[in-house]
Amino acid sequence: MKKRNFSAGPSILPQQTIEETAKAILDFNGSTLSLMEVSHRGKDFIAVMDETEALFKELLNIPEGYSVIFLGGGASLQFCMVPFNLLEKKAAYLNTGTWASKAMKEAKLFGEVVEVATSKPDNFTYIPKDYVIPADADYFHITTNNTIFGTEILTDLDSPVPLVADMSSDIFSRVIDVSKYGIIYGGAQKNLAPAGVTFVIIRNDLLGKVSRPIPTMLDYKTHIDNGSMFNTPPVVPVYAAMQTLRWMKANGGVPAMEKLNIKKAEILYAEIDRNPVFKGTCAVEDRSRMNVCFVMSDEYKDKEADFLAFAKERNLDGLKGHRSVGGFRASIYNAMPIEGVQDLIDAMQAFEKEVTK
Ligand SMILES: *Cc1c(COP(=O)(O)O)cnc(C)c1O
């Protein structure tokens, strides 16, 4: 039996995505050639790129005036590409975790960076809410889901300046109003596809405003003008992304994903709060629906390794927490069925029986 995969990223994908991509790697569209060995400029692959882009627009309800592009370099390259393309004088950042901090570090190479608020002194256990976004900033950058610390911004924020969001780990997990964002970007390997492709959704009118020259490959315009085909795109991850998007569409689209994600998070957090052996690590109102962080209660602190081994025996994989939080992290992305979450809850209850008897 396949293990239940709770890894934070690379992470669980729909079985359909894995199987269909495996088939195309052996024989792409009946061509007898592998997806890995055919031209990205052939009509069959161009159709894949077109469908992936179209499904992005359809499933996220992306309005006119926005482009969707697929790049290499991971979300980490976007930490630099965003300021390269948008930061003329000053940018504002909400510092809610490791990834936000890394994004800020890159932006500082290009101009003034204002940290509007941070929860760092409390080890990023909550999302700051009272802060002022400078009206003269070129943009305001947020990380909607903090994959490492398990907090999430679950609403589309109002911003007086273009809102830029790293949605690497919660894209397609809830319905969003794209019109409230200037740029949305993310690495695919959390909720969409294998590592290797990065999506960027850009409001076109934000581009062409900075005075510095931009190297061709780092200029969003290059990739918009060339349909993500300026250079060879990561063909296998793009193909896998298309399969995941098809799977999502066939299963009710983002509203259905959101409904199920709310349910999954609800039952898991309810167990963490009920079970005397475990406790949550984040402010209740900011708890992530994607990455559920929890630790042993003080009384059972020495049982951490025991629970991981106990879970492993029950086929539950990838639950070890990130080193900066400790304890456990259950990543329950779109592809994790509610039965998988229930298996984890059952394990927590069985473990409770064992240690409290
Ligand atoms: C994983 C992650 C990143 C880094 O993504 P790469 O594709 O590895 O560069 C950035 N931001 C968030 C929120 C992430 O979860």
Side-chain angles (χ1 to χ4, degrees):
M1 198 184 103
K2 190 173 174 176
K3 293 174 190 165
R4 296 287 192 197
N5 184 4
F6 292 95
S7 293
S11 38
I12 188 169
L13 288 169
Q15 195 58 24
Q16 183 180 322
T17 297
I18 297 167
E19 282 168 15
E20 292 302 317
T21 306
K23 276 189 216 159
I25 285 174
L26 292 172
D27 179 356
F28 180 40
N29 283 0
S31 65
T32 75
L33 300 177
S34 169
L35 170 64
M36 298 191 294
E37 57 180 0
V38 297
S39 170
H40 58 293
R41 304 208 185 271
K43 75 169 180 6
D44 281 15
F45 188 77
I46 289 176
V48 170
M49 191 59 104
D50 289 348
E51 183 177 340
T52 308
E53 182 187 329
L55 284 170
F56 246 82
K57 289 186 168 165
E58 181 185 338
L59 290 169
L60 289 175
N61 229 331
I62 299 176
E64 287 292 305
Y66 284 78
S67 298
V68 181
I69 53 176
F70 301 98
L71 310 173
S76 299
L77 185 60
Q78 295 311 306
F79 298 164
C80 141
M81 270 178 88
V82 165
F84 222 134
N85 283 265
L86 299 191
L87 206 174
E88 182 70 13
K89 276 210 175 76
K90 186 202 280 191
Y93 278 71
L94 183 62
N95 188 0
T96 52
T98 308
W99 299 116
S101 303
K102 287 187 173 173
M104 285 173 66
K105 176 171 179 270
E106 296 307 300
K108 284 176 186 165
L109 298 170
F110 299 92
E112 184 189 345
V113 170
V114 179
E115 181 184 75
V116 298
T118 182
S119 44
K120 191 173 181 180
D122 295 297
N123 203 31
F124 298 117
T125 47
Y126 70 98
I127 305 280
K129 287 166 198 86
D130 293 318
Y131 51 83
V132 179
I133 304 162
D136 60 346
D138 296 316
Y139 61 88
F140 174 46
H141 181 283
I142 59 172
T143 311
T144 49
N145 184 60
N146 297 284
T147 323
I148 292 176
F149 296 95
T151 59
E152 187 172 9
I153 299 171
L154 288 161
T155 54
D156 302 313
L157 300 183
D158 293 311
S159 169
V161 298
L163 183 61
V164 175
D166 174 358
M167 290 199 188
S168 292
S169 51
D170 63 348
I171 188 78
F172 296 113
S173 72
R174 69 175 184 89
V175 175
I176 53 168
D177 177 358
V178 174
S179 74
K180 295 190 86 172
Y181 299 85
I183 290 185
I184 297 171
Y185 68 85
Q189 70 274 19
K190 311 285 165 53
N191 212 8
L192 187 64
V197 65
T198 308
F199 62 87
V200 188
I201 303 164
I202 315 171
R203 211 177 76 208
N204 299 320
D205 67 353
L206 296 177
L207 300 178
K209 292 188 176 160
V210 290
S211 53
R212 74 175 63 84
I214 305 173
T216 310
M217 273 296 286
L218 297 181
D219 190 340
Y220 288 127
K221 269 192 147 80
T222 302
H223 303 285
I224 294 171
D225 294 347
N226 290 280
S228 302
M229 295 270 204
F230 174 74
N231 68 321
T232 319
V235 292
V236 174
V238 169
Y239 186 88
M242 178 187 77
Q243 292 297 342
T244 301
L245 296 166
R246 282 185 183 172
W247 169 86
M248 247 185 267
K249 184 174 170 177
N251 286 284
V254 182
M257 299 293 133
E258 176 171 9
K259 203 170 153 207
L260 195 58
N261 288 331
I262 290 172
K263 187 80 204 155
K264 289 181 321 195
E266 237 171 46
I267 62 172
L268 184 49
Y269 283 116
E271 176 60 19
I272 290 167
D273 292 341
R274 182 211 63 81
N275 194 319
V277 178
F278 302 97
K279 63 177 182 184
T281 57
C282 298
V284 171
E285 71 274 16
D286 297 325
R287 283 172 161 178
S288 169
R289 287 180 194 148
M290 297 283 99
N291 310 98
V292 177
C293 292
F294 57 107
V295 293
M296 302 312 283
S297 315
D298 297 342
E299 201 182 329
Y300 300 98
K301 257 202 164 72
D302 57 328
K303 301 276 186 214
E304 195 175 302
D306 292 351
F307 179 66
L308 279 175
F310 187 84
K312 203 162 211 166
E313 265 168 39
R314 293 171 157 250
N315 243 2
L316 309 176
D317 194 72
L319 286 168
K320 193 173 168 52
H322 190 274
R323 61 188 180 280
S324 42
V325 179
F328 317 103
R329 172 173 49 173
S331 298
I332 51 174
Y333 299 117
N334 286 355
M336 174 62 72
I338 196 154
E339 292 79 11
V341 177
Q342 194 55 54
D343 285 351
L344 172 57
I345 293 170
D346 292 347
M348 291 164 77
Q349 294 178 348
F351 191 74
E352 176 197 2
K353 278 217 181 86
E354 201 169 286
V355 296
T356 57
K357 77 176 168 217

